[in-house]
Amino acid sequence: MKFFQAASRWSRNHKFFLTSFGVLAGGGSSLIYALEQSIHASNDAAHVAKQKWNHNGWFDTLDHASVRRGWEVYKNVCAACHSIEYLAYRELVGACLTEDEAKAEAAEQLIEDGPDETGAMFKRPGKLSDLLPKPYPNEEAARYANGGAYPPDLTYITQARIDGENYIFALLTGYMDPPAGVQLAENQHYNPYFPGGAIGMAQALYDEIIEYEDGTPASQSQCAKDVITFLKWCAEPEHDTRKLFAMKAFTVLGVLNLVVWYLHRHYWSVLKTRKILQNPKSMFKK
């Protein structure tokens, strides 16, 4: 009731401004929603099921045992075609490898360096500061080796795809025979979760395709879960630190809020509890 009484006293310009703002906000929201739905509607891929990921909660962190296993899957399966070119070996230290393990992994690679004093380029063993090498020297070589398909870089793939982790999981585990009437070109495979169904990447994950060093059964779904957790860490290496900082910040802000609330009551208590009396002289007037 008080709101409507106050609204009746608004000026004409004030009402026009609020009406215009409401129309623009509603129209903009509807446009954004329509554009997003049109993107999904134009995608003829199958609906992606939601999976339960251990790191999606407000207070949940990445499973670093899974991140380490995911590194094993990437190194032994995915690295043959896909790069993680924005990740350095030193970033693996403490996340999925020890420092000695990361140095050993880097030393296995021959990195082009130079020029030397003669102006020639040379090869040297890798070190922690080096980026992970790409499987192909350029895009043309990658397409030629994969029948015209270009394997994308995986550093930020979980952020670059809509419903990232769920989409990649469905893609890795969703290969099947094409239904009747679907014709595939040479070197193409059928996956209902890929737009159009025809995908150039062959099925990469199978049961027991690798053997985990910690003894975890390497089923297809387990390998997919682990490599996706690893790719999530690649895209957001600050994931755990950010959530820890947020918890500390909200704790401090909560304490400060209580302090401000108490000071507010203290400063205004005199004014709010005072008693307004009549003028004593007026009490004796007749």
Side-chain angles (χ1 to χ4, degrees):
M1 190 66 183
K2 291 183 178 179
F3 171 80
F4 292 107
Q5 291 176 352
S8 63
R9 294 194 295 270
W10 289 348
S11 65
R12 183 176 180 181
N13 290 337
H14 194 182
K15 293 179 181 179
F16 176 78
F17 171 77
L18 291 178
T19 302
S20 301
F21 178 79
V23 171
L24 290 175
S29 301
S30 301
L31 178 61
I32 292 173
Y33 178 79
L35 290 175
E36 183 181 5
Q37 293 304 309
S38 67
I39 292 174
H40 288 284
S42 63
N43 188 349
D44 54 355
H47 176 72
V48 174
K50 299 290 185 182
Q51 305 294 332
K52 183 177 180 180
W53 300 96
N54 295 333
H55 53 265
N56 277 353
W58 281 35
F59 304 104
D60 296 331
T61 58
L62 289 167
D63 181 355
H64 283 269
S66 182
V67 173
R68 182 181 177 91
R69 293 193 299 268
W71 161 253
E72 294 182 53
V73 177
Y74 169 77
K75 180 180 67 172
N76 293 289
V77 180
C78 309
C81 299
H82 294 275
S83 62
I84 302 183
E85 61 178 307
Y86 301 106
L87 188 72
Y89 283 102
R90 63 168 173 249
E91 296 178 79
L92 299 174
V93 176
C96 56
L97 296 177
T98 64
E99 183 174 349
D100 291 338
E101 289 173 335
K103 287 181 178 179
E105 292 283 354
E108 292 178 359
Q109 305 296 329
L110 291 178
I111 307 297
E112 185 176 22
D113 203 347
D116 58 15
E117 61 274 6
T118 65
M121 303 299 287
F122 61 92
K123 296 282 188 178
R124 61 163 177 80
K127 50 189 178 181
L128 289 179
S129 59
D130 291 320
L131 298 175
L132 272 68
K134 296 186 290 185
Y136 304 104
N138 49 59
E139 181 177 340
E140 287 70 21
R143 290 187 181 279
Y144 179 78
N146 291 277
Y150 180 57
D153 180 80
L154 299 182
T155 313
Y156 301 107
I157 195 70
T158 57
Q159 303 291 77
R161 296 294 184 267
I162 296 175
D163 203 10
E165 295 108 298
N166 294 318
Y167 167 73
I168 299 172
F169 183 88
L171 190 72
L172 291 176
T173 59
Y175 284 86
M176 61 178 62
D177 294 331
V182 175
Q183 300 293 326
L184 298 178
E186 186 180 1
N187 297 324
Q188 285 190 332
H189 311 272
Y190 184 76
N191 191 313
Y193 299 101
F194 188 77
I199 184 172
M201 183 181 76
Q203 182 173 346
L205 298 181
Y206 298 89
D207 292 340
E208 306 300 331
I209 192 172
I210 66 170
E211 184 176 349
Y212 285 132
E213 64 177 17
D214 63 359
T216 301
S219 63
Q220 183 192 48
S221 58
Q222 183 66 51
C223 291
K225 171 186 175 295
D226 291 335
V227 75
I228 291 168
T229 304
F230 170 71
L231 294 176
K232 176 69 174 180
W233 171 81
C234 290
E236 299 182 70
E238 79 291 345
H239 180 274
D240 294 354
T241 304
R242 185 181 70 246
K243 287 189 175 180
L244 180 60
F245 179 82
M247 291 175 62
K248 292 180 178 179
F250 281 120
T251 301
V252 173
L253 289 175
V255 173
L256 291 177
N257 187 56
L258 292 176
V259 173
V260 171
W261 173 79
Y262 174 78
L263 291 176
H264 178 269
R265 286 181 58 87
H266 176 73
Y267 289 142
W268 288 90
S269 61
V270 176
L271 181 62
K272 288 188 175 183
T273 58
R274 68 179 181 174
K275 183 180 294 186
I276 301 177
L277 298 176
Q278 282 186 317
N279 188 344
K281 295 182 179 180
S282 63
M283 299 176 61
F284 299 99
K285 290 184 179 179
K286 293 183 178 179

